[in-house]
Amino acid sequence: MEKDYIKIDEKDWKAIRVEIWLSPIIIISPILFSGYLIYDWYTRGFLLNENYRYIGELFLAILILLPNLFFDFKFIKSLIEYNKVKNRLTSFKKQVKGR
Amino acid sequence: MNEFANKISDFKNKFVETQKRINEIRFDAHWYRRVFHTFGASFIWYYTLPNVDWVNLLKMIIPIVIVFALLVIEILRIKGKIGFNHFFGLRMYEKNRIGSYLFFGIGILILLLFFPQQIAIPCILCACIADPIIGEIRIKFNEKTAYLTGFILCMSIFALTWYKTSLIFTSLISLIGGAGAVIGEMKKFWWLDDDLMIQILPAIMIAATVASIQFFFNINILPEQLIYPSEIPKWMM
């Protein structure tokens, strides 16, 4: 199987726009969910002395949160890089047209 | 003449640099796919929804509608009715086949609707957390290291989510779940994606184990649920 991505032509910014629109949901929802699980463990488990029943929610929150933060960081870094590239490309095109 | 040659060489250098940077854009899809995987863990939110009749009905209908809508979109893409430039991060082998994200969604749908959360949650996490980590290790090191790490990681996920049952059954389920997830990830077919296999194979293996132990020894090894539904607000009553 060819593992290469379908090449995005420089005219096909549409696809990348979809990606940028989806990014906030993709990044924020797992973090919110982890936050909810930690809150639930704290209010229903830790404060009410039901730690054994609810500690699974804390495990789950950590399990979801850490990999998410790692991959989110890499993804946001690549998005910033992409924006830089796009800007350079635009200014380069202007330069070429000017010549 | 010399000035002209310098200009040409300057232009060439800039062209090469720009080309390099265009190639970097392709790399962006790589992290997008990874983040999309880890985002899938949010669907476990399903189990926190209150246990009320009308919410339970919606819990059944909404996931089916979402997956059905994605299926229609994918069929339209394959038939050429929607340009594939609207889909970022698709791989070459997905050009004329249903995209991995739909297999991923179908896997989650089957787990949410047909399996108890004690089995569904670790299987979803294997696809959302273990799969991208295995992929990264495969790129950085080699396949053997990736699958070994994947096996240990999936085992840990099952052990963490089955902590409420006795140690012997936690170990047994971790071994079966870890093996099932790695086999599901290893077996790659053109028509059946590993995003589906990594979720469904361990789920079937564990369900079969739980049912066999129940049948032969009359012991229910399924632990208490991991996530409890949220309390029902008054306006929902």
Side-chain angles (χ1 to χ4, degrees), chain B residues 29-74:
Chain B
H30 171 82
W31 294 114
Y32 181 65
R33 278 181 84 102
R34 297 287 188 239
V35 172
F36 205 86
H37 263 278
T38 52
F39 157 73
S42 315
F43 291 106
I44 299 173
W45 213 319
Y46 176 92
Y47 293 111
T48 68
L49 296 173
N51 212 356
V52 193
D53 283 347
W54 67 271
V55 178
N56 288 339
L57 187 69
L58 286 180
K59 273 157 87 174
M60 210 157 79
I61 295 170
I62 292 174
I64 295 173
V65 170
I66 293 173
V67 171
F68 186 73
L70 291 177
L71 181 68
V72 171
I73 291 171
E74 270 301 287

Side-chain angles (χ1 to χ4, degrees), chain B residues 120-188:
Chain B
I121 291 173
C123 293
I124 292 174
L125 288 178
C126 284
C128 299
I129 310 292
D131 183 272
I133 293 176
I134 292 173
E136 278 310 299
I137 294 171
R138 193 188 291 135
I139 293 170
K140 294 260 155 57
F141 301 98
N142 53 50
E143 286 227 322
K144 221 176 173 181
T145 319
Y147 292 133
L148 187 66
T149 318
F151 178 64
I152 295 166
L153 189 64
C154 293
M155 262 183 69
S156 317
I157 291 172
F158 278 96
L160 274 177
T161 46
W162 278 63
Y163 76 99
K164 283 176 183 167
T165 192
S166 65
L167 187 66
I168 187 153
F169 291 131
T170 307
S171 316
L172 177 72
I173 293 299
S174 304
L175 275 171
I176 294 171
V182 171
I183 293 167
E185 170 67 16
M186 280 164 82
K187 285 277 159 209
K188 291 184 197 305

Side-chain angles (χ1 to χ4, degrees), chain B residues 15 23 26 51 83 87 104 111 123-124 127 140 148 217:
Chain B
F15 184 79
N23 290 339
R26 279 175 54 210
N51 212 356
F87 299 81
F104 189 67
L111 288 172
C123 293
I124 292 174
K140 294 260 155 57
L148 187 66
F217 305 102

